[in-house]
Amino acid sequence: DLVAPLRAVLSGRKVTSRKEAIRLVAEHRVPGAAELLTELWARPDLHRDLRRAILSAARWLLDQPAAWDLLAHAIPAGDAVATGLTEVAPHTVAVPYRARYGALVRAVAAAADPDTARLGLAAWPAWRQWDTAGLDFLVDRVTDLNTTAIWRVAADALDRKSVG
């Protein structure tokens, strides 16, 4: 019975209230939660804090393909949104989904924007045991002379990989 009242809050104007409603939709797994969040994400004028809240909430719905679609849409959505993916610790993601989530963090690390890439590279080592393609990716980032703005962060992530 939460769908109707939460929809009302989600269509409101207060960002903080809407962020809380997004969390409640996912946490309580209201019927059609992933679809509801997808519908909200599709709004072109959606506040970036709400987009980040949707990303955070999507972690509760990883058993649903629509949640993965939302997470994948974060990568090209811009640095303020995409970096929300890097703020997730592996222990907060169910084990069966960690490899796929680690690949999302690696995608942030592959961003063209150096500031976004730095955040992804700094976060990636926590995901190393689940993202098996990450080591080759890091070597490529360190040796790519066209992206010298991030090589040191990539080297640091690579070094943390070899120590871990």
Side-chain angles (χ1 to χ4, degrees), residues 62 68 93-101 130:
L62 294 178
W68 288 103
V93 174
V95 174
Y97 306 118
R98 289 181 187 171
R100 192 169 179 186
Y101 199 95
W130 297 282

Side-chain angles (χ1 to χ4, degrees), residues 10-159:
L10 288 172
S11 62
R13 302 193 72 193
K14 297 199 176 259
V15 171
T16 303
S17 298
R18 293 168 73 191
K19 285 171 42 178
E20 184 63 14
I22 289 166
R23 184 190 66 76
L24 291 170
V25 163
E27 183 178 348
H28 293 286
R29 299 182 64 89
V30 301
E35 292 76 17
L36 181 59
L37 296 180
T38 299
E39 176 186 316
L40 186 61
W41 182 278
R43 295 180 185 171
D45 60 339
L46 190 66
H47 192 282
R48 77 166 186 224
D49 289 350
L50 295 176
R51 290 193 189 280
R52 289 175 61 93
I54 290 170
L55 293 182
S56 180
R59 288 181 293 142
W60 298 46
L61 306 168
L62 294 178
D63 59 328
Q64 300 178 30
W68 288 103
D69 291 341
L70 281 170
L71 294 171
H73 281 100
I75 306 300
D79 61 338
V81 175
T83 56
L85 294 171
T86 67
E87 297 168 358
V88 174
H91 73 275
T92 65
V93 174
V95 174
Y97 306 118
R98 289 181 187 171
R100 192 169 179 186
Y101 199 95
L104 288 171
V105 174
R106 181 170 25 94
V108 174
D113 174 60
D115 292 331
T116 302
R118 281 186 198 99
L119 290 170
L121 288 164
W124 183 84
W127 296 92
R128 68 182 174 261
Q129 82 182 78
W130 297 282
D131 183 22
T132 57
L135 184 58
D136 290 338
F137 166 77
L138 288 175
V139 170
D140 289 344
R141 289 300 267 185
V142 170
T143 59
D144 181 0
L145 298 179
N146 293 318
T147 56
T148 57
I150 53 90
W151 78 267
R152 184 172 305 276
V153 180
D156 290 345
L158 186 61
D159 184 47

